[in-house]
Short mmCIF file of all heavy atoms in Angstrom, two decimals:
data_model
loop_
_atom_site.label_atom_id
_atom_site.label_comp_id
_atom_site.label_asym_id
_atom_site.label_seq_id
_atom_site.Cartn_x
_atom_site.Cartn_y
_atom_site.Cartn_z
N LYS A 54 78.45 109.49 108.54
CA LYS A 54 77.00 109.53 108.79
C LYS A 54 76.27 109.96 107.53
O LYS A 54 75.16 109.54 107.27
CB LYS A 54 76.71 110.49 109.93
CG LYS A 54 76.85 109.81 111.28
CD LYS A 54 76.37 110.71 112.38
CE LYS A 54 76.72 110.12 113.73
NZ LYS A 54 76.99 111.17 114.69
N SER A 55 76.91 110.83 106.74
CA SER A 55 76.23 111.34 105.56
C SER A 55 76.29 110.34 104.40
O SER A 55 75.80 110.59 103.33
CB SER A 55 76.85 112.67 105.11
OG SER A 55 78.11 112.41 104.56
N LEU A 56 76.92 109.18 104.64
CA LEU A 56 77.06 108.20 103.57
C LEU A 56 75.78 107.37 103.47
O LEU A 56 75.40 106.70 104.42
CB LEU A 56 78.24 107.28 103.93
CG LEU A 56 78.77 106.33 102.90
CD1 LEU A 56 79.46 107.11 101.79
CD2 LEU A 56 79.78 105.39 103.54
N PRO A 57 75.08 107.38 102.33
CA PRO A 57 73.85 106.62 102.23
C PRO A 57 74.12 105.12 102.43
O PRO A 57 75.20 104.65 102.08
CB PRO A 57 73.37 106.88 100.80
CG PRO A 57 74.11 108.07 100.34
CD PRO A 57 75.38 108.10 101.10
N GLU A 58 73.13 104.42 102.99
CA GLU A 58 73.29 103.02 103.34
C GLU A 58 73.77 102.15 102.17
O GLU A 58 74.62 101.32 102.31
CB GLU A 58 71.95 102.44 103.85
CG GLU A 58 71.73 102.70 105.33
CD GLU A 58 72.92 102.29 106.17
OE1 GLU A 58 73.35 101.14 106.05
OE2 GLU A 58 73.46 103.13 106.93
N ASN A 59 73.17 102.38 100.95
CA ASN A 59 73.49 101.49 99.85
C ASN A 59 74.82 101.83 99.18
O ASN A 59 75.21 101.20 98.22
CB ASN A 59 72.37 101.48 98.80
CG ASN A 59 72.22 102.84 98.16
OD1 ASN A 59 72.89 103.79 98.58
ND2 ASN A 59 71.35 102.95 97.17
N SER A 60 75.52 102.83 99.71
CA SER A 60 76.73 103.25 99.01
C SER A 60 77.84 102.21 99.06
O SER A 60 78.73 102.24 98.26
CB SER A 60 77.25 104.56 99.59
OG SER A 60 77.61 104.35 100.92
N LEU A 61 77.75 101.29 100.01
CA LEU A 61 78.80 100.30 100.10
C LEU A 61 78.67 99.22 99.04
O LEU A 61 79.59 98.49 98.75
CB LEU A 61 78.80 99.63 101.49
CG LEU A 61 79.27 100.52 102.61
CD1 LEU A 61 79.24 99.77 103.92
CD2 LEU A 61 80.68 101.01 102.33
N SER A 62 77.48 99.10 98.48
CA SER A 62 77.27 98.04 97.50
C SER A 62 77.90 98.40 96.17
O SER A 62 78.09 97.56 95.31
CB SER A 62 75.78 97.83 97.28
OG SER A 62 75.28 99.01 96.69
N GLY A 63 78.22 99.66 95.99
CA GLY A 63 78.80 100.08 94.73
C GLY A 63 77.74 100.41 93.69
O GLY A 63 78.04 100.82 92.58
N GLU A 64 76.43 100.24 94.06
CA GLU A 64 75.38 100.50 93.08
C GLU A 64 75.16 101.99 92.91
O GLU A 64 74.79 102.48 91.86
CB GLU A 64 74.07 99.86 93.55
CG GLU A 64 74.11 98.35 93.43
CD GLU A 64 73.14 97.70 94.36
OE1 GLU A 64 72.23 98.40 94.87
OE2 GLU A 64 73.27 96.49 94.58
N SER A 65 75.34 102.74 94.00
CA SER A 65 75.07 104.16 93.90
C SER A 65 76.27 104.93 94.41
O SER A 65 76.92 104.53 95.37
CB SER A 65 73.84 104.46 94.76
OG SER A 65 73.99 105.70 95.38
N THR A 66 76.61 106.00 93.76
CA THR A 66 77.75 106.80 94.22
C THR A 66 77.25 108.20 94.54
O THR A 66 76.91 108.96 93.64
CB THR A 66 78.82 106.87 93.14
OG1 THR A 66 78.17 107.04 91.89
CG2 THR A 66 79.67 105.65 93.12
N PRO A 67 77.16 108.53 95.81
CA PRO A 67 76.56 109.80 96.19
C PRO A 67 77.42 110.99 95.77
O PRO A 67 78.64 110.87 95.72
CB PRO A 67 76.51 109.70 97.71
CG PRO A 67 77.59 108.76 98.06
CD PRO A 67 77.72 107.81 96.95
N GLU A 68 76.78 112.07 95.48
CA GLU A 68 77.49 113.30 95.18
C GLU A 68 78.02 113.87 96.48
O GLU A 68 77.29 113.91 97.48
CB GLU A 68 76.52 114.32 94.57
CG GLU A 68 76.25 114.09 93.11
CD GLU A 68 77.51 114.19 92.27
OE1 GLU A 68 78.23 115.19 92.42
OE2 GLU A 68 77.78 113.27 91.49
N ILE A 69 79.26 114.27 96.55
CA ILE A 69 79.68 114.95 97.78
C ILE A 69 79.49 116.44 97.57
O ILE A 69 79.75 116.97 96.49
CB ILE A 69 81.10 114.58 98.23
CG1 ILE A 69 82.09 114.67 97.08
CG2 ILE A 69 81.16 113.25 98.88
CD1 ILE A 69 83.52 114.51 97.54
N PRO A 70 79.01 117.11 98.59
CA PRO A 70 78.62 118.50 98.42
C PRO A 70 79.79 119.40 98.05
O PRO A 70 79.64 120.33 97.29
CB PRO A 70 78.05 118.88 99.79
CG PRO A 70 78.57 117.86 100.74
CD PRO A 70 78.80 116.63 99.94
N GLN A 71 80.94 119.12 98.58
CA GLN A 71 82.05 120.03 98.38
C GLN A 71 83.26 119.21 97.93
O GLN A 71 83.41 118.07 98.34
CB GLN A 71 82.37 120.64 99.75
CG GLN A 71 83.01 121.97 99.69
CD GLN A 71 83.30 122.38 101.13
OE1 GLN A 71 82.54 122.13 102.05
NE2 GLN A 71 84.43 123.01 101.30
#
Side-chain angles (χ1 to χ4, degrees):
K54 275 188 189 147
S55 72
L56 191 69
E58 275 309 306
N59 64 355
S60 63
L61 289 181
S62 66
E64 288 156 16
S65 143
T66 41
E68 281 299 310
I69 48 172
Q71 206 183 323

